[in-house]
């Protein structure tokens, strides 16, 4: 695998710390996109500079997860949000009540939608802004 492929995968799988570490190493010309990752030495990265880049977040990268919020004994709603707290806040605003609980689900988790099986990661591509309601189970919107 090449650094270029790893760099791309970091974006797809929201591994932003590794992404910005590679970003730093590329900017410092310590690696190139055509290098094989077997030769990648992350110890070459200046941890302080990488931390500063992550803090500045020059590319505006924000992780979005999916959270299951329990509405009542039979109903759950799935919300895409940047954090558990943001998901709960969005739920409170949308339904004027507090969820019974809130759990993060892996984006690779697959659900049945109509006649297809789709992962939360694939479904997330259908949304332009977050937080957003991904769907519900046992509740009619």
């Amino acid at each position: 695998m090449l650094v270029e492929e790893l760099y791309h995968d970091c974006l797809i799988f929201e591994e932003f710390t590794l992404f910005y570490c590679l970003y730093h190493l590329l900017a410092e010309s310590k690696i190139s996109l055509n290098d094989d990752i077997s030769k990648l030495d992350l110890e070459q990265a200046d941890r302080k500079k990488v931390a500063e880049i992550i803090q500045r977040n020059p590319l505006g990268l924000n992780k979005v997860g999916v959270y299951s919020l329990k509405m009542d004994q039979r109903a759950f709603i799935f919300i895409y949000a940047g954090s558990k707290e943001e998901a709960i806040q969005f739920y409170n605003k949308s339904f004027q009540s507090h969820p019974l609980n809130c759990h993060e689900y892996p984006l690779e988790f697959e659900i049945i939608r109509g006649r297809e099986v789709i992962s939360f990661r694939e479904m997330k591509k259908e949304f332009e802004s977050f937080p957003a309601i991904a769907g519900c189970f046992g509740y009619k919107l």
Side-chain angles (χ1 to χ4, degrees), residues 63-93:
K63 185 173 182 172
V64 173
V66 65
Y67 299 86
S68 169
L69 294 94
K70 190 171 185 177
M71 303 179 87
D72 60 36
Q73 294 306 318
R74 291 174 278 149
F76 297 83
I77 192 136
F78 294 97
I79 295 176
Y80 287 112
S83 67
K84 181 178 181 175
E85 294 75 21
E86 185 180 47
I88 292 169
Q89 184 179 30
F90 184 74
Y91 179 95
N92 291 341
K93 182 180 174 185

Side-chain angles (χ1 to χ4, degrees), residues 77-123:
I77 192 136
F78 294 97
I79 295 176
Y80 287 112
S83 67
K84 181 178 181 175
E85 294 75 21
E86 185 180 47
I88 292 169
Q89 184 179 30
F90 184 74
Y91 179 95
N92 291 341
K93 182 180 174 185
S94 299
F95 300 99
Q96 288 76 45
S97 67
H98 197 72
L100 299 177
N101 63 32
C102 178
H103 299 285
E104 185 171 11
Y105 268 60
L107 289 172
E108 290 72 27
F109 189 83
E110 294 180 329
I111 59 170
I112 297 172
R113 182 173 71 174
R115 294 180 179 225
E116 69 177 342
V117 175
I118 188 168
S119 70
F120 282 120
R121 183 176 305 284
E122 283 300 311
M123 192 187 321

Side-chain angles (χ1 to χ4, degrees), residues 9-10 16 37 59 64 77 85 87 100 103 105-107 122-123 125 127 136 139-140:
D9 286 353
C10 287
F16 299 141
I37 63 166
L59 300 178
V64 173
I77 192 136
E85 294 75 21
L100 299 177
H103 299 285
Y105 268 60
L107 289 172
E122 283 300 311
M123 192 187 321
K125 295 174 185 176
F127 295 86
C136 59
Y139 180 80
K140 301 249 189 244

